[in-house]
Amino acid sequence: MPSRDFFVFCTSLSPTELRAVGTLSQVRHLGKGETIYPAGEPADEFFIINRGIVHLVPAAAQGVAAYLKRGDIFGDIEVLTDRPRLDRATAQEAASLQCFGREQLPELMRQVPSFCRFLCEDLARRLIKSRDPTDLPDNGLELSGNLLNFDLVAVYQTIMQSTQTGVLSIVSDSGESIAKLHFSDGQPISGRFQHLTGEDAFWQLFLADDLRGTFSFSSTAQAALPGVRSINRPANDMLFAAMQFWDEFQALKDELPPSSVYEMREPDFLAKPSKRAISAIAMAEVRRCFSERKRAISDLFPACTVCELKIFQAVQELVRSGHLGLAGAAKPQSVV
């Protein structure tokens, strides 16, 4: 079942239906570390993430913690089944949530009938994705499946919590190897995604919008991928950073459409030092690419050794500083 998040669903609605969704829900803003609800609390509303990352920690000892990102739904199971909260939900960073109250649901279903189908589809997808990865054999973790039916984040968390050593492999539908991620005691220690290695390969694996194919995890004593950069951060930190990066990447693509063609405007222009942490490698590689010829942003990835987020960050910085401009657009008289 292909994934269809809330924002994709909204593109299918009429203007009248969109207004109904907005009228029959409300937006809630939270600061970093703020509790959305504790476990055991009565449930009278569910949430869809507009921005930020939410951390769910189950009350039951055998439950699996999870990070949720933009477009994900949570809290709906308790609302629909009239049960107390099964998890503690916390804003892992500043977040914005769309809140849907139990009392507004009948009117929402009346005015936007497709919303009910959307909720059912999302619940079914989560059920499919959660069934096999959490059913771990006693003698070792052996996972496999199609990425259309399983969430890569859930697969990663399952491997992390299993504390096993092995290799997660992803193969395209045509049989081509896309990625390999090696784990030692549940910790990622090296990785490859297409032409990237190390942490950049890890980030790109979770940034990829249309990752298709099959995955498999096999327990093995091999400790690392030979000849690639290592990963040294804790498994949970890597996952949290990947979720943050995904959110930022979506915003950058809205600002800088991947198909936009840019050209070098000021190859020798010295910009003021950036206040943001921009990868020096990404800046150098992006400048090199544009010094050769004008390009679409989407053409940069194969020519760079960093993940797409860093590429877009570098392009944004170079556009702001005056190094780059849209191909064919009039050159500004001055750069502030």
Side-chain angles (χ1 to χ4, degrees):
M1 179 182 301
S3 174
R4 182 172 69 138
D5 72 15
F6 176 66
F7 301 100
V8 174
F9 163 72
C10 285
T11 62
S12 68
L13 300 180
S14 68
T16 300
E17 289 174 322
L18 279 173
R19 284 194 295 272
V21 170
T23 302
L24 295 169
S25 64
Q26 58 181 336
V27 177
R28 179 177 172 187
H29 300 288
L30 301 106
K32 179 179 179 180
E34 189 173 344
T35 297
I36 302 165
Y37 56 74
E41 181 181 78
D44 55 6
E45 59 183 350
F46 66 93
F47 309 89
I48 299 176
I49 302 174
N50 293 324
R51 176 179 53 82
I53 298 172
V54 171
H55 192 203
L56 293 184
V57 179
Q62 69 273 22
V64 178
Y67 289 110
L68 305 179
K69 63 182 185 303
R70 173 179 162 85
D72 286 341
I73 304 174
F74 66 100
D76 51 331
I77 294 176
E78 297 95 326
V79 171
L80 296 173
T81 59
D82 197 21
R83 300 176 63 182
R85 297 295 188 190
L86 302 173
D87 315 275
R88 181 181 77 250
T90 306
Q92 194 72 12
E93 58 180 25
S96 171
L97 307 178
Q98 201 75 26
C99 310
F100 296 85
R102 183 201 304 273
E103 294 182 356
Q104 283 71 47
L105 272 180
E107 184 61 21
L108 182 61
M109 300 303 184
R110 187 186 70 81
Q111 295 192 37
V112 191
S114 59
F115 189 78
C116 180
R117 178 179 175 83
F118 166 69
L119 282 182
C120 291
E121 287 178 351
D122 191 82
L123 280 168
R125 179 175 56 83
R126 280 181 277 159
L127 175 61
I128 291 172
K129 290 179 177 180
S130 66
R131 285 174 61 184
D132 289 345
T134 56
D135 185 15
L136 307 183
D138 294 334
N139 60 348
L141 180 64
E142 298 293 336
L143 296 177
S144 63
N146 193 298
L147 289 171
L148 287 175
N149 299 324
F150 291 89
D151 182 13
L152 188 60
V153 172
V155 173
Y156 175 83
Q157 289 182 312
T158 300
I159 298 170
M160 181 178 69
Q161 292 166 6
S162 75
T163 67
Q164 291 202 39
T165 298
V167 184
L168 174 65
S169 300
I170 298 177
V171 179
S172 70
D173 292 331
S174 62
E176 179 185 1
S177 176
I178 299 174
K180 286 184 180 290
L181 192 60
H182 275 236
F183 292 81
S184 178
D185 299 326
Q187 299 290 318
I189 56 173
S190 64
R192 177 186 62 77
F193 183 94
Q194 297 180 3
H195 64 287
L196 302 183
T197 65
E199 291 188 0
D200 279 285
F202 185 96
W203 309 140
Q204 190 61 39
L205 181 60
F206 288 90
L207 289 174
D209 278 334
D210 193 25
L211 190 61
R212 295 180 179 272
T214 58
F215 71 89
S216 62
F217 179 84
S218 297
S219 299
T220 173
Q222 186 176 356
L225 287 170
V228 303
R229 289 178 291 173
S230 61
I231 297 173
N232 300 311
R233 304 189 201 187
N236 212 46
D237 290 354
M238 290 293 291
L239 179 59
F240 176 51
M243 304 291 278
Q244 287 182 306
F245 287 175
W246 187 93
D247 206 26
E248 182 179 351
F249 187 45
Q250 304 312 307
L252 278 172
K253 286 193 295 184
D254 289 340
E255 178 183 341
L256 303 167
S259 60
S260 299
V261 178
Y262 284 85
E263 61 185 356
M264 188 66 74
R265 287 282 179 81
E266 299 284 352
D268 300 321
F269 178 76
L270 296 178
K272 295 180 180 180
S274 174
K275 295 181 180 180
R276 302 187 304 156
I278 306 294
S279 166
I281 294 175
M283 290 288 284
E285 292 185 341
V286 168
R287 290 196 65 176
R288 171 183 55 78
C289 287
F290 282 110
S291 68
E292 297 170 354
R293 59 180 173 86
K294 62 183 179 181
R295 298 172 184 257
I297 305 177
S298 57
D299 294 337
L300 297 174
F301 175 63
C304 296
T305 61
V306 295
C307 68
E308 283 187 287
L309 172 67
K310 294 180 182 179
I311 292 172
F312 273 73
Q313 288 174 332
V315 171
Q316 182 190 52
E317 189 68 21
L318 290 170
V319 169
R320 289 178 174 177
S321 68
H323 286 83
L324 295 178
L326 283 169
K331 183 178 178 180
Q333 294 300 312
S334 61
V335 178
V336 179

